[in-house]
Amino acid sequence: MGANTHSSNSKRIWMVFIYLSLLTMVEVGLGIVKPAYLFYTEIFTISLLNWIFIFMTIWKAYYIMWAFMHLEGEKASFRWSIVGTLAFLSLYLTVLLLIEAQYVHDVFQNSSYRWIF
């Protein structure tokens, strides 16, 4: 075999698969169980459980980019220009959607303007 022999990445692929599967199982488990201390604790009018889901989803997206877009070999500044932008915009959109959803829920529950929605 020559110096340009390409090694198999099957071990790396399985490790990424296992890691992402474990993160997904934790998310699904938390979604099924919904621990009361996480579900009823609010930070900025959003439950702590939702914050955990948001951050775990952003972490999974980061890890997918790290593994499958081969960002681990890039310079840190380039890596963070991609990941930081994605994380900020995803978090921003999620927070706005959750705040708006809470407002619509409150209107349906407590307002006489239900017919507008």
Side-chain angles (χ1 to χ4, degrees):
M1 300 235 145
N4 293 333
T5 304
H6 184 62
S7 63
S8 174
N9 285 325
S10 60
K11 180 180 177 185
R12 172 144 167 77
I13 292 169
W14 279 108
M15 292 306 294
V16 169
F17 173 74
I18 290 169
Y19 182 73
L20 291 174
S21 296
L22 289 173
L23 276 175
T24 302
M25 284 189 271
V26 169
E27 279 183 324
V28 170
L30 284 173
I32 291 171
V33 174
K34 287 186 186 175
Y37 63 92
L38 295 176
F39 188 66
Y40 292 112
T41 303
E42 290 188 355
I43 299 174
F44 300 119
T45 70
I46 299 171
S47 78
L48 187 57
L49 187 61
N50 281 345
W51 282 112
I52 290 171
F53 288 146
I54 291 166
F55 286 120
M56 287 183 75
T57 302
I58 290 173
W59 181 257
K60 283 195 314 186
Y62 172 76
Y63 192 74
I64 288 168
M65 288 188 304
W66 179 267
F68 295 116
M69 292 176 62
H70 309 289
L71 289 179
E72 69 267 19
E74 299 293 339
K75 290 185 178 183
S77 58
F78 178 68
R79 192 170 50 231
W80 281 109
S81 70
I82 294 171
V83 172
T85 304
L86 171 76
F88 172 74
L89 291 176
S90 299
L91 187 62
Y92 183 68
L93 175 66
T94 304
V95 168
L96 287 178
L97 288 172
L98 289 172
I99 290 170
E100 186 68 22
Q102 183 65 43
Y103 170 75
V104 170
H105 178 266
D106 290 344
V107 167
F108 275 130
Q109 294 297 316
N110 305 322
S111 178
S112 61
Y113 295 110
R114 285 187 271 216
W115 57 272
I116 294 175
F117 289 94

